Amino acid sequence: MKSLLLSLAIAALAAACATTVSPTGRTQYVGAVSQQELNLLGTRAFAEQKQQKPLSQDPRQLAYVRCVVDDLVAVLPQPWRQGGWEVAVFADDDPNAFALPGGKVGIYTGIFKVARNQDQLAAVIAHEIGHVVSRHHDERITRQAGASGALQIVGALLGSRYGSGAANAAVQGGSLLAQTGFLLPGSRAQESEADVVGQQLMAQAGFDPQAAVALWQNMLAAGGSRPPQWLSTHPDPQSRIGELRARAAGLAATYAQARTAGKRPACSG
């Protein structure tokens, strides 16, 4: 009876989701929340970030980032161009950036240490926007909802037979397994996919796709120790650089066509 209840519960979780195809042809499971709810979550998270972290007081930095974002957004497919994208520059030395559903882009001032020109900055921002247009936030929420839901069910079943200690151990152990064996492989796939989508986006906008290679060389030179590749949400840096270099060569024609069509970004910090 308990195994039947577990099967029914997991089936209900699966039924709430939908299968779609990502921009690179990868099968995705999405739909735990609606796009409207995703946009609301992104808007709230962005507002919280602005409350918790100080903003840069240099208007030139904000104008610089906004210039790059606007040029990238201009070549996005619909509906991603609608509504305008909000930009914030945070006074933080960590070389980091993010984009969120609802059209939000955040840049930490530390990124300027490794993104040393407009093309390298475009590589950062295009990668982050790539996560949004590839529905990675939707996919991650859906996968985490499924994993946590199944773990709670398993924990409840164990608890009813062996007591709360067994239930807690199952949930805690299962969470660790989910993080290292289920959720993170998807995250690595998402990072690689955002590289593909972002590099194509920057070439279409008239930014040099070769700059993504230089960016990651700068990141690698500036970085310290890192976790093993299998336990990381990011691909191995050297492998990543090789893939970016190969794709840049294939995007040379796209980049040239964009420049011929008048897409010649002129953003400066």
Side-chain angles (χ1 to χ4, degrees):
M1 181 64 178
K2 290 176 181 176
S3 61
L4 175 60
L5 290 174
L6 176 60
S7 298
L8 290 173
I10 293 175
L13 283 169
C17 305
T19 302
T20 187
V21 178
S22 77
T24 62
R26 181 174 58 84
T27 299
Q28 290 179 296
Y29 296 96
V30 297
V33 294
S34 68
Q35 186 61 51
Q36 183 178 8
E37 290 168 330
L38 272 176
N39 292 345
L40 180 59
L41 287 171
T43 298
R44 288 180 175 175
F46 198 65
E48 288 177 2
Q49 186 80 347
K50 289 192 293 183
Q51 290 177 348
Q52 295 170 1
K53 282 190 174 293
L55 293 169
S56 168
Q57 299 303 307
D58 187 342
R60 295 171 300 176
Q61 290 180 335
L62 180 60
Y64 178 34
V65 174
R66 189 181 301 280
C67 177
V68 173
V69 170
D70 287 347
D71 284 341
L72 291 170
V73 170
V75 298
L76 286 176
Q78 293 289 3
W80 306 109
R81 291 200 303 267
Q82 295 176 352
W85 285 61
E86 184 180 357
V87 177
V89 179
F90 299 96
D92 191 311
D93 287 337
D94 187 24
N96 202 4
F98 62 88
L100 297 172
K104 312 296 180 184
V105 172
I107 295 290
Y108 290 14
T109 52
I111 204 69
F112 299 127
K113 294 183 292 186
V114 292
R116 297 169 185 168
N117 56 47
Q118 65 168 1
D119 298 285
Q120 292 177 18
L121 182 59
V124 173
I125 297 173
H127 171 91
E128 299 304 329
I129 291 177
H131 282 301
V132 175
V133 300
S134 300
R135 302 183 68 180
H136 290 168
H137 300 83
D138 188 351
E139 185 178 26
R140 176 172 289 275
I141 288 174
T142 299
R143 295 186 71 179
Q144 289 177 339
S148 61
L151 287 169
Q152 292 298 329
I153 295 165
V154 171
L157 292 176
L158 283 174
S160 65
R161 183 170 182 179
Y162 301 111
S164 60
N168 291 337
V171 172
Q172 292 170 5
S175 295
L176 179 61
L177 178 63
Q179 287 295 325
T180 58
F182 175 59
L183 298 179
L184 286 185
S187 297
R188 291 200 300 271
Q190 289 176 349
E191 289 297 329
S192 296
E193 188 165 63
D195 278 348
V196 174
V197 174
Q199 204 171 12
Q200 183 172 6
L201 175 62
M202 62 185 294
Q204 291 171 337
F207 293 102
D208 186 356
Q210 287 282 358
V213 177
L215 168 72
W216 272 97
Q217 289 172 332
N218 295 344
M219 293 281 281
L220 188 58
S225 59
R226 53 177 289 121
Q229 182 178 1
W230 74 272
L231 198 58
S232 171
T233 59
H234 288 67
D236 175 73
Q238 293 294 353
S239 298
R240 191 175 206 167
I241 289 171
E243 292 169 0
L244 289 168
R245 181 178 289 112
R247 277 196 301 271
L251 288 168
T254 301
Y255 173 55
Q257 289 170 3
R259 303 284 289 185
T260 300
K263 294 183 175 65
R264 297 176 176 269
C267 305
S268 59

